[in-house]
Amino acid sequence: MKGKRTDMGNAQCGIARSLQAVGDWWSLLIVREAFKGLRRFSEFQKSLGLAKNILSVRLRKLVEEGIFTIEPDPDSALSHLYLLTPKGYELSVVLVALWQWGEEHCFEPGELNYAVVDSLNRQPLQKLQLAARDGRSLGPQQFRIEASRLADRDDEPGKR
């Protein structure tokens, strides 16, 4: 990374704070690889082709952010495993949304070789949609970003 990054850790925006935690592309690709079943430093390094020093920094940050936890590797006293935490698993929605957006906007027909599929029936997932609390599907013109307080949303599932 060139230059100094702006600290967004106190920003009053959920997107900015999320990007503070996982905002570089390598971090999300590491999380993607964990969803594919990778758990060891060497597996991430081989799969991504990422320099060891960069991978080390990204994994350390993901552990600090509570996205991964480190546990001893039962197969090797010299290494350990990087395991997704519940917070890390919740990134699945973000990754699927990015994947689906990428499928639609970043590939030519027939070019994409992978798909996100249901583990049970191996069928592609339904496209993610925004929904109102009453279940109505919302398009991009049917929502807005407003000032809010987390305390105002305590009754929502999954909130602190």
Side-chain angles (χ1 to χ4, degrees):
M1 292 183 284
K2 295 184 180 180
K4 186 171 182 168
R5 273 188 119 157
T6 302
D7 184 343
M8 302 299 279
N10 293 319
Q12 297 299 309
C13 170
I15 295 170
R17 288 203 187 184
S18 298
L19 290 173
Q20 177 75 23
V22 294
D24 69 84
W25 62 337
W26 287 120
S27 294
L28 287 176
L29 291 174
I30 292 166
V31 173
R32 177 200 66 191
E33 295 304 291
F35 276 103
K36 290 164 75 176
L38 279 57
R39 304 179 311 166
R40 293 175 178 83
F41 185 96
S42 60
E43 293 172 334
F44 290 118
Q45 202 277 323
K46 182 179 178 183
S47 178
L48 294 168
L50 184 57
K52 291 178 181 182
N53 62 325
I54 295 173
L55 177 58
S56 179
V57 169
R58 296 309 185 278
L59 281 169
R60 187 176 321 116
K61 170 82 168 155
L62 291 166
V63 169
E64 288 170 5
E65 292 291 342
I67 294 164
F68 280 97
T69 187
I70 300 174
E71 294 191 8
D73 185 341
D75 298 331
S76 170
L78 300 175
S79 64
H80 46 269
L81 304 176
Y82 292 90
L83 304 175
L84 287 168
T85 64
K87 181 177 178 178
Y89 277 112
E90 288 182 14
L91 282 168
S92 63
V93 176
V94 174
L95 293 176
V96 170
L98 280 171
W99 185 286
Q100 290 178 342
W101 183 88
E103 281 181 332
E104 189 170 331
H105 298 288
C106 300
F107 289 89
E108 296 297 324
E111 181 184 8
L112 186 62
N113 293 322
Y114 295 96
V116 178
V117 298
D118 179 330
S119 296
L120 183 63
N121 63 21
R122 301 183 68 157
Q123 295 298 310
L125 301 183
Q126 179 176 325
K127 187 171 179 179
L128 294 176
Q129 294 182 314
L130 297 177
R133 289 186 118 185
D134 64 9
R136 290 176 294 118
S137 292
L138 299 176
Q141 303 301 322
Q142 297 170 303
F143 72 92
R144 62 178 180 236
I145 297 172
E146 297 185 343
S148 178
R149 295 210 176 282
L150 285 176
D152 297 338
R153 302 180 311 174
D154 281 343
D155 61 328
E156 290 184 35
K159 300 298 177 205
R160 299 177 200 215

